[in-house]
Amino acid sequence: MYDVIISGAGPIGLFLSCELRAYGIRTVVLERREAIDPTLKAGAVSGRGADILTRRGVVDLLGDLPSIADLMGGRKPGAGSLQSKTAPGGGVPRGHFAGLWILRGGSSTSSAFVLAPQQRIEEALETRARSTGAEIRRGHAVEALDQDDSGVTVTVAGPDGPYELRARWLVGCDGGRSVVRKAAGFDFPGLDGIMTAYQAMADFDDPEFAPMGWHRMPRGLMVHGPHPQRILVAEFDGPPADRNAPITQAELETAVRRVSETSVTITAVHSVTRFTDNTRQASTYRRGRVLLAGDAAHVHPPFGGQGLHLGLGDAINLGWKLASTVRGWAPPGLLDTYSTERHPVAERVLHNTRAQVALLRPGPRVDALRDIFTMLAETPEANRLLTDLMGELDIRYGAAGDHPLAGRYCPDLTLKTATGETRVADLSRRAGALLLDLSDRADVREAVRPWADRISVVTGVASSSSEDAEVGELPDALLVRPDGHVAWAGADVAELGEAVREWFGESADPAR
Ligand SMILES: Cc1cc2nc3c(=O)[nH]c(=O)nc-3n(C[C@H](O)[C@H](O)[C@H](O)COP(=O)(O)OP(=O)(O)OC[C@H]3O[C@@H](n4cnc5c(N)ncnc54)[C@H](O)[C@@H]3O)c2cc1C
């Protein structure tokens, strides 16, 4: 029997399988597609998702990547007719809000973008997952499930016919229309869409039919570039009549002509997807032995490029908690903190994408709203809040100690250790908890020694402290969870012991 079945080998299912394999969890990924979906989706991962891919070393598997400046070919990001602003302070912004390329603030604990197409990230994750021993079955679709006290039995449609597979846990990473979510009875409340949008890579008879950048047009939104073949158009007069109907070249061309107000002809379509702006979220991410992560747990329009980093944040939060539950050392309630920590994060994303849709609609009243919004967003404090919000940079989970770092994502400190210099990012390549002993405290090291199977101790002096003013003076020591968040920051050994038990259970050492 497997420990965990993952339904869906999209980016989130694959990343989760790598996390689970780091703990030796017997994992199988069932994917209905024979090959990676070639449809144009994310072109970049930003915010905390970029950090996660960097710290786990996935970025190193992606090969040479372009910079934003390369992609823009010297143009200003978002240079468009109606709404462009340079980022406050000039230079290349870290992202946009409703097509306003103004996000430059934010916590300094974040990497920049990982400018890779989603398919390249999926390829890298699949290679890693297989090399770490995850079994990936392509062409195998989950159709039904039945759970009891000891496990979940899944009915699978495989290439040789239907079969049953059993595991102790099932995680639905099978996207926005998740079969697992529906079959396990999760609810999925939220708002229906008001928009029909198409994103395509296509050839046009006149390649210059539309200027590059984001443009709010009288009949909708048009985004052209950065690649000359990439076009996105959105109209705000209702969701698609039939979301399952195949998309024809004529349908795409009609929408592009309407929004661009040109008579452009599409001569070839290389990739096209149709989407709406429905925003829905499962009320809980766990029902018994079934869990949800990524788009299976929450759907929202792609504005601001948040889907991937949101899902990666789910997977890195869930991975170690599920692994510790399977291993048997998870303290009571640990697995439920997955849902309580991650649900509010997605709720904020749904909320901000609703606001973005409101700001992207055409019309003079929205023009006025955008002007006022931009004026406010360009003030340093608002810009920081907005950048943090869009990148998940300000997330603070419950943690012990009143140090400003408690609960936050651990900054990428550089540590001088007895054996040389290392960084938190280097120490995070393999999933696992860290105790960073920054003041050479033998009592701190001794306090976690019985948990040596779960917590690695590194003693060193932080040679560069965080540039983030909110972090302040570094504490004597930091207990960092496997997902990079600080479980405890301080000097008090008794407090450290409580935090260790709260997150990592009782020690394997019977003497303690
Ligand atoms: C047009 C567009 C642009 C986007 N741009 C960005 C962006 O710039 N930045 C960003 O961060 N995000 C972006 N996103 C969002 C991002 O693509 C998604 O958030 C991301 O793909 C979610 O990953 P996932 O693994 O949860 O789900 P998916 O990628 O949907 O993967 C789910 C997998 O499950 C499989 N599956 C489904 N049902 C079954 C079943 N019954 N059995 C087995 N397998 C099953 C599917 O075949 C698929 O491989 C964009 C999305 C779209 C549509």
Side-chain angles (χ1 to χ4, degrees), residues 154-232:
V154 170
T155 308
V156 186
D160 303 321
Y163 65 95
E164 288 192 341
L165 196 64
R166 190 164 165 81
R168 295 165 72 188
W169 298 89
L170 168 68
V171 188
C173 297
D174 46 355
R177 301 182 196 190
S178 170
V179 168
V180 169
R181 185 184 70 229
K182 291 169 193 158
F186 287 88
D187 62 355
F188 203 46
L191 296 182
D192 288 334
I194 56 156
M195 171 189 95
T196 298
Y198 300 86
Q199 179 169 249
M201 292 292 280
D203 294 338
F204 310 99
D205 63 342
D206 173 10
E208 310 222 324
F209 78 100
M212 292 286 166
W214 288 64
H215 306 271
R216 284 173 52 253
M217 307 292 286
R219 300 195 62 166
L221 170 72
M222 177 175 72
V223 186
H224 190 202
H227 193 284
Q229 289 178 322
R230 188 242 183 176
I231 189 80
L232 184 156

Side-chain angles (χ1 to χ4, degrees), residues 6-15 29-37 39-46 96 113 116 118 122 137-144 155-157 172-180 197-200 230 232 272-276 293-312 314:
I6 296 174
S7 173
I12 308 313
L14 290 169
F15 185 84
V29 185
L30 303 173
E31 167 57 53
R32 69 170 179 202
R33 286 179 172 274
E34 297 285 352
I36 289 174
D37 182 0
T39 314
L40 188 62
K41 291 186 201 162
V45 186
S46 58
H96 72 90
F113 280 97
Q118 183 164 330
E122 290 179 30
R137 298 187 190 175
R138 286 197 165 273
H140 295 245
V142 170
E143 293 207 311
T155 308
V156 186
C173 297
D174 46 355
R177 301 182 196 190
S178 170
V179 168
V180 169
Y198 300 86
Q199 179 169 249
R230 188 242 183 176
L232 184 156
V272 60
T273 180
R274 177 175 48 211
F275 58 95
T276 182
D295 280 12
H298 36 70
V299 293
H300 55 85
F303 301 126
Q306 302 169 86
L308 262 182
H309 75 68
L310 183 60
L312 289 169
D314 292 346

Side-chain angles (χ1 to χ4, degrees), residues 71-430:
L71 271 191
M72 299 292 170
R75 295 182 304 274
K76 255 188 234 165
S81 58
L82 289 174
Q83 76 291 335
S84 301
K85 297 277 176 187
T86 348
V92 176
R94 291 168 80 155
H96 72 90
F97 192 91
L100 296 161
W101 289 85
I102 51 178
L103 304 182
R104 278 188 62 80
S107 145
S108 61
T109 59
S110 166
S111 319
F113 280 97
V114 174
L115 272 176
Q118 183 164 330
Q119 287 78 6
R120 200 148 141 202
I121 294 170
E122 290 179 30
E123 272 165 28
L125 288 171
E126 184 158 345
T127 304
R128 164 152 313 168
R130 288 188 193 277
S131 72
T132 56
E135 187 182 331
I136 299 175
R137 298 187 190 175
R138 286 197 165 273
H140 295 245
V142 170
E143 293 207 311
L145 63 95
D146 186 24
Q147 64 165 314
D148 53 46
D149 287 347
S150 61
V152 187
T153 302
V154 170
T155 308
V156 186
D160 303 321
Y163 65 95
E164 288 192 341
L165 196 64
R166 190 164 165 81
R168 295 165 72 188
W169 298 89
L170 168 68
V171 188
C173 297
D174 46 355
R177 301 182 196 190
S178 170
V179 168
V180 169
R181 185 184 70 229
K182 291 169 193 158
F186 287 88
D187 62 355
F188 203 46
L191 296 182
D192 288 334
I194 56 156
M195 171 189 95
T196 298
Y198 300 86
Q199 179 169 249
M201 292 292 280
D203 294 338
F204 310 99
D205 63 342
D206 173 10
E208 310 222 324
F209 78 100
M212 292 286 166
W214 288 64
H215 306 271
R216 284 173 52 253
M217 307 292 286
R219 300 195 62 166
L221 170 72
M222 177 175 72
V223 186
H224 190 202
H227 193 284
Q229 289 178 322
R230 188 242 183 176
I231 189 80
L232 184 156
V233 288
E235 292 170 275
F236 301 89
D237 49 6
D242 178 1
R243 290 189 63 192
N244 297 317
I247 311 165
T248 63
Q249 186 164 322
E251 177 188 347
L252 175 66
E253 186 177 88
T254 306
V256 172
R257 283 183 175 184
R258 251 193 330 253
V259 177
S260 66
E261 299 185 310
T262 67
S263 52
V264 68
T265 296
I266 294 180
T267 53
V269 178
H270 304 291
S271 156
V272 60
T273 180
R274 177 175 48 211
F275 58 95
T276 182
D277 62 323
N278 56 334
T279 43
R280 298 188 170 276
Q281 182 183 20
S283 304
T284 173
Y285 293 180
R286 177 182 174 196
R287 273 178 73 88
R289 291 181 166 272
V290 183
L291 297 126
L292 300 175
D295 280 12
H298 36 70
V299 293
H300 55 85
F303 301 126
Q306 302 169 86
L308 262 182
H309 75 68
L310 183 60
L312 289 169
D314 292 346
I316 203 166
N317 188 296
L318 173 60
W320 66 279
K321 294 174 182 174
L322 185 53
S324 7
T325 305
V326 171
R327 285 286 194 87
W329 52 256
L334 179 71
L335 192 55
D336 288 324
T337 66
Y338 164 58
S339 193
T340 51
E341 288 185 342
R342 292 304 298 173
H343 187 280
V345 179
E347 201 170 16
R348 291 196 327 171
V349 173
L350 267 56
H351 205 59
N352 84 52
T353 56
R354 287 170 187 156
Q356 289 189 73
V357 169
L359 281 169
L360 283 167
R361 293 176 73 149
R365 289 173 184 79
V366 179
D367 294 349
L369 183 60
R370 286 173 77 85
D371 282 346
I372 291 173
F373 180 87
T374 304
M375 186 180 73
L376 295 173
E378 283 181 335
T379 61
E381 178 65 4
N383 205 270
R384 187 180 66 76
L385 288 174
L386 208 52
T387 310
D388 279 352
L389 172 75
M390 296 295 285
E392 265 186 53
L393 305 181
D394 56 349
I395 300 302
R396 188 168 193 174
Y397 301 136
D402 51 13
H403 189 276
L405 272 177
R408 290 185 59 174
Y409 196 66
C410 186
D412 189 14
L413 303 171
T414 301
L415 302 179
K416 277 189 184 145
T417 72
T419 54
E421 218 170 67
T422 187
R423 285 169 47 186
V424 169
D426 303 326
L427 299 167
S428 311
R429 287 181 78 91
R430 199 185 166 283

